[in-house]
Amino acid sequence: KQWYQRRVRDKTTAVTKKSADKLLSKFSSNPKKSDLAISQKMMSSNNMLSSQVSVASNTSLDSITSGRSDNEIVVVGQGGNQFEVLVREALDFTESSMEKEEAFVEGFYRSTKSPRERRDIVDMILCRFGSEWDDFVHTSCKFDIYYSLPIFLSLLDKLDNLAREGVAFAVFRKTFDVASDYFNKMYKQHKAKILEVNKKLIRGTLASVLHFTQFLLFSESLQRNTKRNSIDQCYVQLSGAVTESVDSFAAHQTKVPSEVVVVENFHYLYTFLLKNKIESLDKYRSYCHKRWKDSLEEYVRAYLTLPLERINVFFCGVQNKLDSGVRVTEIGFAPEFSKQKLRALIGEYTVKELKKGVEGVMKKIEKHFSKDKNLFTVACLSVLAELIKQVEGHERLMKECYPKAGLKFNFTVAQIHGIFDKKSPK
């Protein structure tokens, strides 16, 4: 008792007077050897668990992510990793303490107590460890719900390595149920946060996407020896919420084309998942790649009509005639597709006019895309490739439908490359 009272008076101890009095009430005035050993272990265990809460109070996942800008990703998980290491050390210490106490009781009462009585004594003694762990889980998770993840995974590993018939398994199993409830609560809260739409954002990576990738970084930074079923299911469900969030934001966006929102966010997700290999999200990585590529193609087709708009309309009509069954030798006889009309159109598109049209397209791309994500360059290269594809397709139709007219553009593919090299970023 005097030892307890000195600990309570010490300002550096993490054990409050209330908790000490609670423990004191469970010991007699003349403690037996076993009771003294237990009380010492409980005090040491309580202080160790309290130190974990101290780590949690100094590092919050929400506090880490709150200082970022909308277009900036913050690597999180360092504090969570340190926290997890301490949790695992505390679990190992608690397991060792329980084994020693159980061995002491078995040896001390072997000649005076029956096996059932000895087991009851062990259960009564070791249940105190369970209550300490429950309090620790509640304290940590109420401060920051994200600390339920390292606690949940650490307990899961510990249970896999314990014999199911042992007392330690029963103690940790109850604490695991508490941690599991907080883990599910954390997942639901994070999913709800992902589904929130950032109405103030015009372009760039959505906050929901950043929340998802930061969670992945935090989770993957933790040690894991167990099967990944629980966390992988969480990943898949959250990825669905991210897709829903991006599509919803894109559908209601009026200041930039919806394709731009899809391209920027799914390109970001694809790049992140390509760098951070997560097996359960392999299919989602492929999905992200397809989404941003398809949306970029749709964007390019929509805005590439400007440089050669009238010529594109002309040859689109020619291709429709051919698709309807008109022979290539008969195309030039139609008034709207005569070689004289085509020659006049070609005369309108000099190198100067092409340059002007390309500059107009690139200004729109620059307005729509965020330069810091390199998508401006990617979009410019896509426009260049599509423009060259169009020009080469038009030249092919000219040779097929007007073989002896001597028609050709006033610019070459090399000149198109030169225009883009001067205007696009390096």
Side-chain angles (χ1 to χ4, degrees):
K1 287 184 178 179
Q2 292 176 353
W3 183 77
Y4 267 106
Q5 290 168 355
R6 287 198 303 271
R7 296 287 290 176
V8 170
R9 287 195 300 269
D10 186 357
K11 294 182 180 180
T12 62
T13 184
V15 182
T16 63
K17 185 176 186 303
K18 182 178 179 181
S19 62
D21 290 342
K22 182 179 179 181
L23 290 173
L24 278 170
S25 65
K26 298 179 181 179
F27 300 116
S28 61
S29 58
N30 297 312
K32 298 178 182 178
K33 181 180 179 181
S34 61
D35 289 335
L36 182 58
I38 294 167
S39 65
Q40 291 171 340
K41 293 290 191 303
M42 286 297 294
M43 178 62 73
S44 179
S45 176
N46 198 0
N47 285 329
M48 177 172 282
L49 293 177
S50 298
S51 70
Q52 325 307 327
V53 180
S54 176
V55 173
S57 64
N58 291 327
T59 310
S60 165
L61 182 61
D62 280 338
S63 68
I64 293 174
T65 60
S66 61
R68 62 148 185 83
S69 63
D70 287 334
N71 293 322
E72 177 184 20
I73 183 168
V74 180
V75 178
V76 299
Q78 182 178 2
N81 184 270
Q82 179 187 5
F83 179 78
E84 183 202 25
V85 171
L86 293 173
V87 170
R88 289 178 181 270
E89 290 177 355
L91 285 172
D92 292 340
F93 171 82
T94 306
E95 179 189 3
S96 175
S97 299
M98 288 191 289
E99 289 175 351
K100 291 178 181 179
E101 295 301 336
E102 185 176 10
F104 177 84
V105 171
E106 289 292 335
F108 189 82
Y109 292 107
R110 183 174 296 278
S111 60
T112 59
K113 303 288 184 180
S114 66
R116 179 60 182 273
E117 289 175 325
R118 294 199 299 271
R119 179 67 183 221
D120 290 341
I121 293 173
V122 170
D123 290 342
M124 178 183 65
I125 293 172
L126 299 189
C127 70
R128 303 173 186 176
F129 287 94
S131 63
E132 292 288 340
W133 270 100
D134 291 349
D135 290 343
F136 165 64
V137 173
H138 286 305
T139 302
S140 300
C141 295
K142 285 180 179 179
F143 174 79
D144 191 335
I145 192 66
Y146 288 97
Y147 283 98
S148 63
L149 182 57
I151 294 174
F152 174 83
L153 295 174
S154 299
L155 283 167
L156 199 58
D157 280 344
K158 177 58 67 177
L159 290 174
D160 283 347
N161 296 324
L162 291 175
R164 291 182 174 272
E165 62 275 8
V167 177
F169 183 89
V171 171
F172 286 139
R173 185 67 179 82
K174 293 179 181 179
T175 303
F176 176 76
D177 291 338
V178 177
S180 181
D181 290 339
Y182 279 110
F183 173 78
N184 292 328
K185 183 179 179 181
M186 178 272 298
Y187 154 71
K188 292 178 181 178
Q189 287 186 4
H190 200 75
K191 183 177 180 180
K193 184 180 293 185
I194 287 174
L195 290 174
E196 292 178 358
V197 177
N198 189 348
K199 297 180 179 180
K200 295 181 180 180
L201 188 66
I202 298 177
R203 67 180 188 179
T205 307
L206 295 178
S208 58
V209 174
L210 291 177
H211 278 302
F212 176 60
T213 54
Q214 288 166 352
F215 176 79
L216 294 179
L217 286 174
F218 173 65
S219 176
E220 290 298 308
S221 71
L222 304 177
Q223 304 174 26
R224 258 199 308 278
N225 302 318
T226 59
K227 296 179 181 179
R228 295 179 54 105
N229 293 345
S230 299
I231 194 65
D232 284 344
Q233 289 178 3
C234 179
Y235 286 172
V236 173
Q237 294 294 325
L238 291 178
S239 67
V242 170
T243 299
E244 182 180 344
S245 174
V246 173
D247 289 341
S248 175
F249 184 83
H252 295 87
Q253 181 58 252
T254 58
K255 295 186 178 180
V256 295
S258 60
E259 294 87 354
V260 173
V261 176
V262 175
V263 169
E264 287 192 317
N265 286 278
F266 281 104
H267 179 268
Y268 183 92
L269 286 168
Y270 170 72
T271 304
F272 175 87
L273 293 174
L274 191 64
K275 181 180 179 181
N276 301 275
K277 305 294 184 181
I278 303 176
E279 186 176 352
S280 60
L281 293 176
D282 283 348
K283 290 183 178 179
Y284 188 65
R285 183 182 69 239
S286 300
Y287 172 80
C288 292
H289 182 260
K290 187 177 185 304
R291 283 295 303 273
W292 86 261
K293 292 285 285 186
D294 291 348
S295 295
L296 183 59
E297 290 179 4
E298 293 174 7
Y299 174 83
V300 169
R301 285 195 297 268
Y303 285 89
L304 193 58
T305 56
L306 294 177
L308 302 172
E309 183 173 6
R310 296 184 64 187
I311 289 182
N312 288 339
V313 173
F314 181 90
F315 281 105
C316 183
V318 171
Q319 188 61 53
N320 290 336
K321 284 287 186 180
L322 294 174
D323 293 341
S324 65
V326 178
R327 296 179 181 180
V328 292
T329 56
E330 299 175 356
I331 290 293
F333 294 103
E336 65 272 25
F337 300 118
S338 65
K339 63 181 179 181
Q340 292 81 9
K341 185 173 183 179
L342 177 57
R343 194 185 304 276
L345 283 175
I346 291 175
E348 295 178 6
Y349 287 92
T350 62
V351 175
K352 182 178 180 181
E353 287 298 319
L354 177 64
K355 182 180 179 181
K356 183 179 179 181
V358 169
E359 289 176 348
V361 171
M362 296 185 70
K363 285 182 180 179
K364 283 186 173 291
I365 296 174
E366 186 176 10
K367 179 180 178 181
H368 292 157
F369 284 96
S370 303
K371 287 184 178 180
D372 56 335
K373 298 293 183 292
N374 294 323
L375 282 176
F376 176 60
T377 303
V378 174
C380 288
L381 292 174
S382 298
V383 168
L384 172 61
E386 186 64 25
L387 180 57
I388 292 175
K389 180 181 177 181
Q390 284 186 0
V391 170
E392 290 176 344
H394 297 340
E395 289 177 340
R396 177 182 56 81
L397 287 176
M398 279 193 289
K399 290 179 181 180
E400 292 177 359
C401 301
Y402 313 94
K404 298 180 181 180
L407 298 171
K408 65 176 183 179
F409 289 117
N410 297 317
F411 50 82
T412 63
V413 172
Q415 288 175 316
I416 297 175
H417 277 286
I419 294 172
F420 273 86
D421 288 343
K422 292 179 180 179
K423 298 298 179 182
S424 62
K426 301 300 181 182

